[in-house]
């Protein structure tokens, strides 16, 4: 009791919150053990030179950004802002107007009192965009993936996942009770072997449409053939394709000449489409109806905010009414990839604006990213566990907002820094 009185006195006398926490946690054996474990793990990360630094932006998300601690502007080559819509005037204005009209948020989940006319309008628009029967909105594509597999698969079923699928797919699959199989990256022979030897009631194949760390594309034609041959469902996470990949931005399906051939699509509104947040699942109406009734991230999370929904609606309108941004993005992508190849650097992936500059070892990738930042180019190094060991890279992402001069500056900086640190031999 005396300790409690002392704590209260200190608190109201202006003792800092940190001191209060230290007094409360003093001599707690469980906390002490946890701190020792955490300190060991953090030391290991630092020793491996895979520490993730978060740089704080003091400007809007755009082709040029300002970073806390620096007065200069940096060319931004590491955002998912593929079409440059994150700070587009019409998108910003749509969000502002919805904020005034509908408020900041719904303070509720969808089935209680969290559904507005904007949510239904966006779901209808996305269904039309993808040519599907129905769509369900989530707070993110991570939530969409987390809410799908558990809702539709049972212990009698089986799920087959590409080895390089996004973490949200991996975590979503973990939540379900189906038998789980992981096939080597884009290895159709091994996948067929797994499918042929399965007696599962429902077989579900799930893959990224475009793999976020490699920029390569799933073999949709072969996946569709295997799914039909072995009575399987095909699910694609199209987060790094929706809105800009394919002739009209319909994603991996369109790029592969397979429009309408995927059974279920999960995707995001937080990349090419507005760059805000939100995700969705689109497909058969019965599936979406089931998800509205049993999908846990949908049932237990607040509805996406009105500004987020309005920004996505405006972005979809811009995407559907003009191909200019997609054309500009494609030109920037090809110019960057061609320039890097001429400079003697290895860039992974297919004809996609995700252009990973392959380095190999984590410390070298960190050094390359640091050198680029010194030259005013904002890029980030990726290493294990985000990518496989020995596969460290600096991932570049092109945007329609980049001008040709920006792309040339980035290529020249990569060539210069790479020579300096020994990636490219002079």
């Amino acid at each position: 009791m005396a300790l409690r009185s002392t704590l209260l006195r200190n608190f109201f006398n202006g003792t800092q919150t940190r001191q209060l926490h230290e007094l409360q946690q003093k001599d707690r054996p469980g906390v002490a053990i946890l701190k020792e474990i955490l300190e060991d793990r953090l030391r290991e990360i630092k020793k491996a030179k895979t520490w993730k630094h978060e740089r704080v932006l003091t400007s809007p998300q755009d082709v040029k950004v300002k970073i806390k601690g620096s007065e200069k502007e940096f060319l931004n080559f590491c955002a998912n802002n593929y079409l440059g819509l994150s700070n587009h005037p019409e998108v910003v204005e749509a969000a502002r107007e919805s904020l005034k009209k509908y408020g900041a948020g719904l303070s509720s989940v969808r089935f209680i009192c969290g559904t507005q006319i904007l949510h239904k309008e966006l779901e209808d628009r996305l269904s039309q965009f993808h040519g599907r029967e129905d769509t369900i909105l989530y707070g993110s594509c991570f939530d969409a993936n987390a809410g799908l597999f558990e809702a539709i698969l049972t212990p009698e079923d089986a799920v087959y996942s590409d080895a390089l699928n996004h973490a949200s797919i991996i975590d979503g699959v973990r939540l379900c009770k189906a038998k789980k199989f992981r096939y080597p990256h884009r290895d159709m022979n091994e996948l067929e072997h797994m499918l042929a030897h399965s007696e599962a009631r429902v077989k579900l194949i799930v893959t990224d449409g475009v793999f976020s760390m490699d920029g390569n594309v799933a073999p949709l034609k072969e996946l569709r053939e295997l799914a039909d041959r072995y009575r399987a469902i095909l699910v694609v996470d199209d987060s790094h394709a929706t809105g800009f990949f394919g002739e009209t931005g319909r994603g991996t399906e369109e790029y592969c000449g397979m429009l309408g051939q995927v059974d279920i699509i999960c995707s995001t509104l937080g990349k090419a489409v507005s760059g805000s947040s939100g995700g969705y699942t689109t497909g058969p109406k019965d599936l979406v109806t089931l998800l509205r009734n049993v999908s846990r991230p949908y049932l237990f999370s607040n509805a996406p905010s009105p500004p987020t929904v309005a920004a996505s609606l405006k972005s979809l309108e811009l995407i559907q009414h003009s191909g200019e941004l997609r054309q500009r993005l494609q030109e920037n992508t090809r110019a960057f990839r061609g320039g890097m190849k001429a400079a003697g650097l290895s860039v992974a992936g297919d004809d996609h604006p995700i252009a990973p500059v392959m380095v190999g070892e984590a410390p070298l990738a960190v050094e390359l990213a640091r050198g680029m930042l010194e030259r005013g180019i904002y890029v980030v190094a990726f290493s294990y566990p985000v990518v496989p060991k020995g596969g460290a890279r600096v991932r570049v992402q092109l945007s329609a907002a980049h001008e040709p001069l920006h792309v040339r500056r980035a290529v020249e900086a990569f060539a210069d820094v790479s020579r300096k640190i020994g990636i490219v031999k002079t």
Side-chain angles (χ1 to χ4, degrees):
M1 191 70 180
L3 176 60
R4 182 183 177 190
S5 298
T6 301
L7 289 173
L8 289 172
R9 256 196 325 272
N10 287 340
F11 179 80
F12 288 111
N13 286 337
T15 301
Q16 292 182 353
T17 305
R18 179 182 172 188
Q19 292 174 317
L20 177 60
H21 288 171
E22 287 173 351
L23 283 169
Q24 289 175 326
Q25 294 180 0
K26 187 178 180 181
D27 297 327
R28 288 183 178 175
V31 173
I33 292 170
L34 177 61
K35 287 180 71 175
E36 287 181 13
I37 293 170
L38 297 179
E39 286 169 2
D40 287 343
R41 289 189 63 187
L42 291 171
R43 271 195 298 270
E44 289 173 5
I45 294 171
K46 289 180 179 178
K47 184 178 179 181
K49 297 186 178 181
T50 57
W51 188 270
K52 309 296 185 294
H53 297 277
E54 292 188 1
R55 297 188 178 94
V56 179
L57 301 187
T58 59
S59 64
Q61 177 65 263
D62 211 335
V63 68
K64 293 181 180 180
V65 294
K66 290 186 176 181
I67 299 174
K68 185 178 180 180
S70 175
E71 294 299 319
K72 60 193 283 191
E73 278 191 327
F74 297 84
L75 284 176
N76 188 0
F77 277 89
C78 62
N80 299 311
N81 190 19
Y82 294 113
L83 293 176
L85 296 176
S86 295
N87 200 33
H88 190 285
E90 291 184 48
V91 174
V92 172
E93 183 58 28
R96 182 184 291 115
E97 286 299 314
S98 73
L99 182 64
K100 290 194 293 185
K101 184 174 181 179
Y102 293 103
L106 280 300
S107 305
S108 182
V109 299
R110 289 281 299 273
F111 81 95
I112 299 178
C113 63
T115 297
Q116 289 179 328
I117 190 67
L118 280 176
H119 296 96
K120 301 308 297 181
E121 185 180 348
L122 180 55
E123 286 172 338
D124 290 344
R125 188 82 65 83
L126 287 166
S127 298
Q128 179 268 327
F129 181 75
H130 286 286
R132 261 55 181 192
E133 292 179 352
D134 204 357
T135 299
I136 177 173
L137 288 178
Y138 287 90
S140 67
C141 188
F142 205 112
D143 282 344
N145 285 330
L148 176 65
F149 307 102
E150 183 184 30
I152 64 175
L153 299 178
T154 73
E156 299 177 70
D157 307 323
V159 57
Y160 304 85
S161 178
D162 189 287
L164 294 188
N165 275 343
H166 190 265
S168 60
I169 296 175
I170 295 168
D171 285 2
V173 167
R174 283 173 178 162
L175 291 170
C176 78
K177 296 181 179 179
K179 299 176 182 66
K180 303 166 182 67
F181 301 90
R182 187 176 73 164
Y183 61 90
H185 182 46
R186 301 198 300 180
D187 187 334
M188 296 299 97
N189 291 331
E190 185 61 26
L191 174 59
E192 180 169 17
H193 177 77
M194 293 176 177
L195 291 166
H197 289 80
S198 171
E199 296 181 359
R201 182 193 65 163
V202 173
K203 301 173 187 178
L204 186 150
I205 304 167
V206 58
T207 181
D208 281 2
V210 176
F211 293 87
S212 60
M213 287 298 128
D214 293 80
N216 54 16
V217 181
L220 282 195
K221 183 177 180 181
E222 293 85 348
L223 286 166
R224 182 71 267 167
E225 290 173 353
L226 288 178
D228 290 341
R229 189 178 308 157
Y230 295 99
R231 298 179 298 105
I233 299 167
L234 179 58
V235 178
V236 170
D237 179 328
D238 228 20
S239 294
H240 287 278
T242 298
F244 66 94
F245 209 44
E247 186 177 348
T248 64
R250 261 64 179 186
T252 310
E253 278 189 323
E254 186 172 46
Y255 178 82
C256 295
M258 301 284 290
L259 267 177
Q261 296 301 301
V262 172
D263 299 310
I264 302 168
I265 294 174
C266 295
S267 195
T268 184
L269 302 167
K271 293 182 172 54
V273 184
S274 88
S276 177
S277 61
Y280 59 93
T281 298
T282 188
K285 189 171 185 60
D286 286 347
L287 166 73
V288 172
T289 301
L290 178 68
L291 293 176
R292 292 191 195 280
N293 282 274
V294 303
S295 181
R296 292 168 69 85
Y298 180 82
L299 293 174
F300 294 98
S301 296
N302 272 16
S305 70
T308 292
V309 177
S312 297
L313 280 165
K314 175 54 69 173
S315 296
L316 279 173
E317 179 185 319
L318 294 171
I319 288 168
Q320 289 184 273
H321 285 123
S322 174
E324 181 184 348
L325 293 176
R326 286 189 296 277
Q327 179 63 31
R328 198 181 306 160
L329 174 61
Q330 189 176 64
E331 291 170 359
N332 287 341
T333 298
R334 290 176 177 170
F336 179 81
R337 287 181 170 274
M340 294 293 278
K341 183 178 179 181
L345 287 156
S346 174
V347 179
D350 299 321
D351 187 21
H352 191 276
I354 293 176
V357 182
M358 303 305 293
V359 176
E361 298 305 318
L364 201 57
V366 171
E367 191 175 357
L368 176 58
R370 185 186 300 117
M372 294 295 291
L373 195 67
E374 290 171 356
R375 284 160 176 77
I377 310 293
Y378 186 14
V379 288
V380 173
F382 289 85
S383 57
Y384 180 83
V386 180
V387 297
K389 287 183 177 179
R393 66 205 63 184
V394 172
R395 187 179 68 171
V396 174
Q397 289 167 279
L398 283 304
S399 170
H402 288 128
E403 298 174 8
L405 175 62
H406 300 152
V407 177
R408 288 196 298 272
R409 274 188 58 190
V411 170
E412 289 167 3
F414 265 112
D416 183 32
V417 178
S418 297
R419 284 192 298 268
K420 183 178 179 181
I421 65 177
I423 295 176
V424 173
K425 306 301 179 184
T426 57

